[in-house]
Amino acid sequence: MTTTKKSTAAKSKSYDGFTDEERGAMKERARELKAASGKAEAEAAVLEKIAEIADEGDRAMAERIHAIVKEHAPELSPKTWYGMPAYAKNGKIVCFFQPADKFKARYSTLGFNDPANLDDGDMWATSFALTKLTPAVEKQLTALIKKAAS
């Protein structure tokens, strides 16, 4: 009888270590994996995600980053990744834009994954906080994106 109580109590306890935003991102990723699409559909999905960004400044940054990737790293294919605009090479995500409100962060982020060719010695940055895109920041991002795609 004690065993039954313990097992009932154990069943009623649940560990929920993910935020609503994280659970939402995981659900979006599962949908993305199920929906294998062509290049035109993938770009349309990225543009749709960019259009959904609530913050005007973040949306403008995402639009500009998309334009930079298309112009300076056309070998990267747009696709969504955990519900964020991302860019892949040979099917692997090289970089992505994470708006601040995605995970209730203080700033937006341009992140790079392992396939990005950014290796520089024993340590290098893989994500960059963005608050606005000035001409100087755009120049830095363009260089990073070109290097990452090489």
Side-chain angles (χ1 to χ4, degrees):
M1 195 150 187
T2 307
T3 308
T4 307
K5 286 183 182 179
K6 284 183 182 180
S7 62
T8 304
K11 287 180 185 177
S12 67
K13 285 185 182 180
S14 67
Y15 174 73
D16 191 11
F18 296 106
T19 66
D20 289 341
E21 293 81 9
E22 290 167 333
R23 279 193 300 280
M26 288 185 285
K27 287 178 183 177
E28 284 184 282
R29 182 66 181 138
R31 281 192 297 273
E32 292 162 2
L33 291 171
K34 288 179 187 174
S37 59
K39 188 171 181 170
E41 293 88 1
E43 182 163 12
V46 166
L47 293 172
E48 184 179 318
K49 284 298 176 188
I50 290 171
E52 290 174 3
I53 297 173
D55 182 80
E56 215 174 293
D58 282 359
R59 188 171 51 254
M61 279 194 284
E63 289 168 348
R64 187 64 192 123
I65 289 168
H66 182 74
I68 290 169
V69 171
K70 283 188 66 134
E71 181 180 347
H72 297 284
E75 64 274 27
L76 296 181
S77 302
K79 61 190 307 182
T80 57
W81 187 63
Y82 293 96
M84 297 177 284
Y87 304 89
K89 186 173 183 178
N90 300 323
K92 296 184 180 189
I93 301 297
V94 172
C95 61
F96 60 92
F97 177 75
Q98 180 182 301
D101 66 352
K102 181 72 176 175
F103 297 109
K104 298 180 182 173
R106 193 175 99 201
Y107 43 77
S108 295
T109 305
L110 179 65
F112 294 90
N113 285 342
D114 290 349
N117 190 21
L118 296 177
D119 302 31
D120 185 18
D122 293 328
M123 184 175 86
W124 57 90
T126 58
S127 64
F128 297 85
L130 300 170
T131 56
K132 67 180 180 176
L133 292 184
T134 64
V137 170
E138 280 193 30
K139 187 176 178 180
Q140 289 176 299
L141 289 181
T142 299
L144 281 168
I145 291 167
K146 283 174 151 181
K147 184 176 180 186
S150 66

